[in-house]
Amino acid sequence: MDIQTFLQIVSIIIVPACSGIIVFLSWHNNRKTEQLKILQERLNEKKHEAYAAAVSMFYNILKDSRANRKTNFQKQMDAMTDIKRDIFMYGSDEVFRAFNSWLLHSMKQEEEQSDQFEAFLNFVLEIRKDLCGGDTSITAKDILVNLTQNEEDAKKLMGNAHRC
């Protein structure tokens, strides 16, 4: 067999076979990448739902207290159990720890209410950081202004909180 014949065989058989292998590997890699993207999107949806539920619960309690409505304690406890589960499963480590800190502070009856509120503000800020890719320009004072709708009240609350 001469070199010309050998090169023809190589170009007819080996080059297309190698090209086929490369195409297959590229397709396989793209498929895996798409599967990872879909999984990440599902995780982000669950995370957003968990965060929204936690913050919504607080805002619902705030609405009820402003309207002088009684809140259903058992319903809140059931919702809190679901929120705990979802934040454990889907929340970032920082949000999970901030949430636990808020829960621990809220259980201490002898603790200053400003410390409990500060722990909640830290929890909300950690949520914002997680949702914004690790950075947010929102501060605890901004959240207080949003909650109170009054800058003077927010300043008073800031004065009562140690580290906000």
Side-chain angles (χ1 to χ4, degrees):
M1 178 176 354
D2 67 352
I3 197 88
Q4 270 312 69
T5 308
F6 178 74
L7 289 176
Q8 284 179 338
I9 291 173
V10 167
S11 66
I12 292 172
I13 296 172
I14 295 179
V15 171
C18 288
S19 297
I21 290 170
I22 290 171
V23 167
F24 173 77
L25 290 175
S26 295
W27 170 80
H28 185 67
N29 188 37
N30 286 341
R31 188 170 156 252
K32 288 290 186 188
T33 302
E34 286 301 315
Q35 287 175 335
L36 285 174
K37 284 181 185 178
I38 290 168
L39 238 81
Q40 188 66 35
E41 285 177 22
R42 286 184 190 162
L43 177 64
N44 282 336
E45 284 177 26
K46 291 289 193 178
K47 180 191 303 189
H48 291 176
E49 289 171 10
Y51 293 170
V55 174
S56 291
M57 183 178 183
F58 177 81
Y59 274 90
N60 288 336
I61 292 169
L62 184 65
K63 282 192 307 189
D64 288 346
S65 70
R66 284 187 176 166
N68 290 323
R69 286 187 295 231
K70 287 188 177 183
T71 56
N72 184 334
F73 183 74
Q74 186 58 46
K75 187 177 177 182
Q76 284 180 344
M77 292 309 297
D78 291 344
M80 182 58 84
T81 301
D82 292 341
I83 290 167
K84 286 178 181 181
R85 177 201 62 220
D86 292 345
I87 288 182
F88 167 71
M89 292 294 295
Y90 306 112
S92 70
D93 292 351
E94 293 79 14
V95 170
F96 179 76
R97 286 186 185 107
F99 181 65
N100 281 346
S101 176
W102 174 49
L103 291 175
L104 291 173
H105 281 285
S106 66
M107 295 304 293
K108 296 177 183 175
Q109 298 298 325
E110 73 281 352
E111 189 171 286
E112 290 290 324
Q113 195 171 18
S114 61
D115 291 338
Q116 295 172 8
F117 201 61
E118 183 179 339
F120 172 76
L121 292 174
N122 184 50
F123 168 57
V124 174
L125 286 172
E126 287 300 331
I127 287 174
R128 293 269 315 171
K129 286 178 188 174
D130 190 31
L131 294 177
C132 297
D135 191 29
T136 182
S137 63
I138 299 293
T139 64
K141 183 182 178 209
D142 295 328
I143 297 169
L144 287 173
V145 168
N146 177 265
L147 290 172
T148 62
Q149 298 174 343
N150 184 314
E151 284 198 47
E152 292 303 314
D153 288 346
K155 285 180 185 176
K156 288 177 191 173
L157 288 170
M158 290 294 292
N160 290 337
H162 305 294
R163 294 179 291 134
C164 292

